Amino acid sequence: MIRTIGETVVAFDCEWIPDAASARLLVPDAEGLGETALLDRLWALNGATEAEPRPFVRLMQSRVVSVAMLMRVAPKTPGGTPELRLVWLPKDPDDPACRAERKVVGSFLAAVGRSHPQLVGFNSRNSDLRILAQRALALGIPAKGFLNRPAKPWEGVDYFARDNEASIDLMELIAGGFSGRNAAVSLHEAATLCGIPGKFGTHGDEVLALWQAGRYRDIVRYNCFDALTTYLLWLRLAWISGRFATDEYENERALLRDYVMGLCEEPETAFLEAYLTEWERLEAIQESLDR
């Protein structure tokens, strides 16, 4: 399934919420309305019903509130150790200037445009990549390095092409391009069945409530969990695709575990202890199964 591993791999995940500011532009009678009323108008625009009062809001009408990524830089010499780095935006969730969507989206797209890593996501082709492009358009953020579409594959990186692996969508690979009840797969399901932490503690439909409650750090922490999970799922898929030998795969997993354990020693990233605990719990169950 996976054909190549880039010199720099970035497993990433975005979190977004309905954007009240979009309602101010889209709704004719929005002047003077508070956030609650604006969001109600936005849900109405997206087909709200009595049975479903809060439907999914279209990507361009949403606000990106967090981006988290686990970066793997290949060793410079054969037999060397890859470098891992967990990064999140906003870097300081309590700082309003850092939380500004223009800062979050712009910083991520600028970094991607400079280094052109291999991007890895889950449902990223139809969601994360799309919302980043659409919000860059809405906010007026130049993103040439991210949005550039070269005329020929060998003339540059193309994150939106399906004929290369500049961007890898794990869901697309696992589901095989099929949709429907039997073929659909979620990140939680795919990860958990592999002994990798899926969704625990916090779920995606809680992000708006967390944002409204001012619990910005909780959003970032949840986002970091998803980035780690996406990376571990990519490792496993790369292994069964033959990109890693079994001993290399185990070494890569051990490297990540040691890296996260080290982060747990730092006050800012001590929250990752919960991820390690869940990882150990699932692995213990997986090892006990006769499969």
Side-chain angles (χ1 to χ4, degrees):
M1 287 185 173
I2 291 179
R3 302 191 303 270
T4 61
I5 295 178
E7 288 295 313
T8 299
V9 175
V10 172
F12 79 109
D13 180 70
C14 301
E15 297 300 331
W16 59 85
I17 59 174
D19 182 31
S22 292
R24 291 190 184 279
L25 294 167
L26 292 169
V27 178
D29 60 345
E31 186 175 354
L33 294 179
E35 181 180 343
T36 299
L38 287 169
L39 290 177
D40 285 339
R41 295 289 201 282
L42 201 58
W43 281 313
L45 283 175
N46 286 271
T49 63
E50 186 174 345
E52 189 180 7
R54 294 187 171 190
F56 181 82
V57 171
R58 286 188 285 276
L59 296 178
M60 198 162 185
Q61 300 171 21
S62 300
R63 170 179 177 155
V64 176
V65 296
S66 178
V67 183
M69 63 217 84
L70 194 287
M71 181 185 304
R72 177 191 185 272
V73 180
K76 293 181 173 56
T77 58
T81 302
E83 177 187 347
L84 300 179
R85 185 182 177 197
L86 180 65
V87 182
W88 59 87
L89 299 165
K91 183 59 180 174
D92 181 0
D94 296 326
D95 182 352
C98 286
R99 286 199 309 271
E101 186 184 17
R102 186 182 302 275
K103 178 72 172 178
V104 172
V105 174
S107 296
F108 179 74
L109 295 187
V112 170
R114 286 193 301 269
S115 59
H116 290 117
Q118 183 180 45
L119 295 177
V120 177
F122 195 92
N123 194 26
S124 50
R125 193 179 300 279
N126 292 321
S127 57
D128 302 81
L129 292 180
R130 292 299 170 187
I131 193 170
L132 289 167
Q134 291 179 16
R135 293 307 289 173
L137 175 63
L139 297 168
I141 299 174
K144 179 181 178 181
F146 173 68
L147 294 173
N148 184 51
R149 303 293 307 275
K152 300 174 183 178
W154 56 87
E155 292 181 345
V157 174
D158 188 342
Y159 287 117
F160 297 88
R162 294 177 181 272
D163 58 358
N164 66 59
E165 291 193 324
S167 174
I168 294 175
D169 185 337
L170 297 177
M171 189 188 80
E172 192 173 83
L173 291 180
I174 295 169
F178 294 99
S179 60
R181 181 176 180 181
N182 292 330
V185 60
S186 68
L187 178 61
H188 172 74
E189 175 188 17
T192 303
L193 290 175
C194 294
I196 299 168
K199 305 288 184 179
F200 66 99
T202 302
H203 297 270
D205 56 6
E206 300 174 61
V207 172
L208 176 59
L210 291 173
W211 177 267
Q212 292 174 326
R215 294 170 59 184
Y216 310 119
R217 287 191 177 275
D218 288 343
I219 296 173
V220 168
R221 290 169 179 174
Y222 165 68
N223 201 184
C224 286
F225 288 169
D226 274 359
L228 289 170
T229 294
T230 301
Y231 181 78
L232 279 169
L233 192 60
W234 167 79
L235 272 182
R236 191 173 180 88
L237 193 59
W239 167 51
I240 68 169
S241 299
R243 304 283 72 78
F244 292 116
T246 297
D247 61 337
E248 292 173 327
Y249 170 61
E250 294 300 337
N251 288 338
E252 292 277 348
R253 280 164 41 90
L255 178 66
L256 178 63
R257 192 188 302 272
D258 290 345
Y259 174 66
V260 175
M261 288 177 66
L263 290 177
C264 289
E265 301 299 319
E266 303 295 329
E268 189 176 29
T269 46
F271 68 91
L272 293 170
E273 182 67 38
Y275 191 89
L276 285 177
T277 299
E278 177 66 4
W279 191 2
E280 292 168 1
R281 185 186 73 85
L282 289 171
E283 284 193 327
I285 295 175
Q286 189 180 49
E287 290 174 3
S288 70
L289 298 176
D290 182 16
R291 299 197 294 186

